[in-house]
Amino acid sequence: MAHDHDHDHDRTVKPMVDEITDFEVLEIALRELCIEKGIFTAEEHRHFTEFAEQIGPTPAARLVAKAWLDPDFRQLALTEPMTASKEVGVDWMEPTGFGTPSDFTAFEILADTPTVHHVIVCALCSCYPRPILGNSPEWYRTPNYRRRLVRWPRQVLAEFGLYLPDDVDVRVQDSNQKHRFMVMPVRPDGTDGWTEDQLAEIVTRDCLIGVALPKAGVTTNVITDTRPALHP
Amino acid sequence: GSTVTRNAHHIHAVGKGDPQVYAGQAGEPKFAVGEPVTVRDLPVVFYTRTPEYVRGATGKIATVAYESPAAEDETWDRPDATPEWFYVVEFTMAELWHGYTGTSSDTLRTEIPERWLESASWNPK
């Protein structure tokens, strides 16, 4: 492209993208065709996008904090998890009136004990309790995690910095049908007298998947070193 | 989109949820919690959701989960598919994987529709 310099670079907004990728071209083509054919409307597309943009792990963290503080709520969370979800602002029937088409309405909360630790995977794809936990992390969707967690859970957890002693049973939950799962970890030491807000802060997304344990003072997800690919 | 045929599922499940919309359609569950079951090695043509790693393995029922058409039928949108019971089945890792290096009481749970299960001839621990 010819580059004439009759504009001021310092005061020119950069283009958002250098070029449109094949993926973006196809996304636009598919979306516009679906709208044109009446498969869904532009309004429905916007509605679902807005739903997908407001989900995140905060309600799940709050649910765990409430359960730690209130034995009755804990019981409700374990026996009627979707009723308990409503108390943290998540209605599993949203946004369609029958749930999301891919997350279903068969939610279950797996309670850790001092002798059982749960960790979740979808070996077949990336099934994840999105309405209450938000979008799945990139590593959760990788063939690497899906292949290895079911076979070598302790080694994979160790790579996340979670070393479990042998008197704790590891229980891997493969979410391969309509159930979606999240982990309710054991309340850690050093949190006596903490408020619900304080407790919710240490229940990170990784704790809710089961690749980390909540710890006083730790309020962000695990950061692991990743080796670069040999032949990228 | 309300007149599109493929939205039929949405319309029938609204207000109920999925799999709740299939409740009461599968009859009595064949297996109960704690019962030992072996995963059958059914032929798989084009699609299944029963992982290869549990085929032929024996575990025990952890949860009688819900009723739903099997994914093997649902994925092809078969209108005559009959709902069946789904179960969360627990396997001992050491029995699932040769040379498992964790503890002998580590477990794995996965969900399997009734067609894939048969009563086990032995009782896993």
Side-chain angles (χ1 to χ4, degrees):
Chain A
M1 194 177 87
H3 202 146
D4 57 274
H5 276 87
D6 59 357
H7 59 273
D8 180 352
H9 272 232
D10 288 342
R11 304 183 60 182
T12 303
V13 176
K14 298 278 188 293
M16 293 302 170
V17 287
D18 290 333
E19 58 180 33
I20 307 291
T21 63
D22 289 357
F23 179 88
E24 288 164 319
V25 170
L26 290 171
E27 187 277 324
I28 294 165
L30 188 63
R31 169 161 45 86
E32 292 194 343
L33 264 173
C34 284
I35 292 167
E36 192 180 307
K37 302 277 182 197
I39 303 292
F40 54 76
T41 64
E43 169 66 17
E44 285 164 343
H45 186 274
R46 186 181 65 82
H47 185 55
F48 212 91
T49 305
E50 286 176 356
F51 173 80
E53 283 175 351
Q54 56 82 39
I55 53 175
T58 312
R62 185 149 300 274
L63 186 150
V64 169
K66 283 173 105 65
W68 282 345
L69 291 170
D70 178 353
D72 290 342
F73 183 76
R74 178 188 153 89
Q75 190 57 29
L76 181 72
L78 299 182
T79 53
E80 292 180 49
M82 286 182 291
T83 308
S85 298
K86 282 186 189 166
E87 296 204 21
V88 293
V90 173
D91 183 348
W92 278 76
M93 300 295 263
E94 290 295 323
T96 63
F98 73 103
T100 83
S102 56
D103 305 302
F104 300 100
T105 50
F107 180 46
E108 191 181 337
I109 298 170
L110 307 172
D112 282 356
T113 70
T115 57
V116 179
H117 176 76
H118 295 86
V119 57
I120 295 165
V121 63
C122 169
L124 293 172
C125 45
S126 58
C127 297
Y128 192 75
R130 288 189 300 171
I132 198 162
L133 247 180
N135 285 310
S136 59
E138 190 275 340
W139 54 258
Y140 182 89
R141 309 170 197 172
T142 60
N144 182 321
Y145 179 76
R146 290 155 46 196
R147 184 178 76 86
R148 293 164 69 224
L149 189 79
V150 294
R151 173 66 180 88
W152 296 279
R154 286 177 184 269
Q155 287 86 339
V156 173
L157 292 178
E159 289 167 20
F160 279 98
L162 178 55
Y163 298 87
L164 294 167
D166 282 356
D167 57 2
V168 176
D169 293 345
V170 173
R171 181 180 293 155
V172 176
Q173 176 72 56
D174 189 354
S175 43
N176 58 322
Q177 302 277 2
K178 290 184 178 177
H179 255 125
R180 298 291 175 267
F181 303 90
M182 74 172 226
V183 177
M184 182 189 292
V186 175
R187 180 173 172 175
D189 293 336
T191 58
D192 288 349
W194 280 30
T195 64
E196 188 180 301
D197 284 350
Q198 285 175 297
L199 291 169
E201 268 198 338
I202 61 167
V203 184
T204 62
R205 177 203 69 197
D206 287 351
C207 297
L208 298 157
I209 299 172
V211 297
L213 292 178
K215 195 178 169 204
V218 179
T219 55
T220 55
N221 287 314
V222 175
I223 298 166
T224 55
D225 286 332
T226 308
R227 285 193 303 272
L230 292 177
H231 305 287
Chain B
S2 62
T3 57
V4 175
T5 313
R6 65 190 290 260
N7 289 348
H9 176 63
H10 178 167
I11 290 157
H12 121 267
V14 158
K16 302 186 184 85
D18 182 349
Q20 288 81 351
V21 68
Y22 301 108
Q25 295 180 33
E28 284 300 303
K30 190 173 171 188
F31 305 108
V33 170
E35 213 174 320
V37 288
T38 299
V39 181
R40 302 171 68 195
D41 199 359
L42 295 177
V44 172
V45 181
F46 299 126
Y47 192 81
T48 186
R49 277 186 164 260
T50 298
E52 280 189 83
Y53 65 75
V54 296
R55 309 261 174 88
T58 296
K60 56 189 178 188
I61 305 286
T63 312
V64 180
Y66 52 77
E67 296 153 271
S68 170
E72 287 84 346
D73 294 328
E74 245 185 1
T75 198
W76 307 115
D77 203 16
R78 277 187 50 185
D80 57 340
T82 313
E84 62 191 90
W85 280 98
F86 279 63
Y87 304 86
V88 177
V89 185
E90 179 175 299
F91 300 90
T92 301
M93 286 282 202
E95 285 165 6
L96 212 49
W97 306 107
H98 178 72
Y100 182 70
T101 53
T103 72
S104 59
S105 46
D106 285 354
T107 51
L108 178 143
R109 289 182 172 191
T110 185
E111 200 161 85
I112 303 175
E114 193 167 277
R115 65 176 66 179
W116 279 90
L117 301 174
E118 60 191 8
S119 291
S121 51
W122 60 286
N123 209 337
K125 70 182 183 72

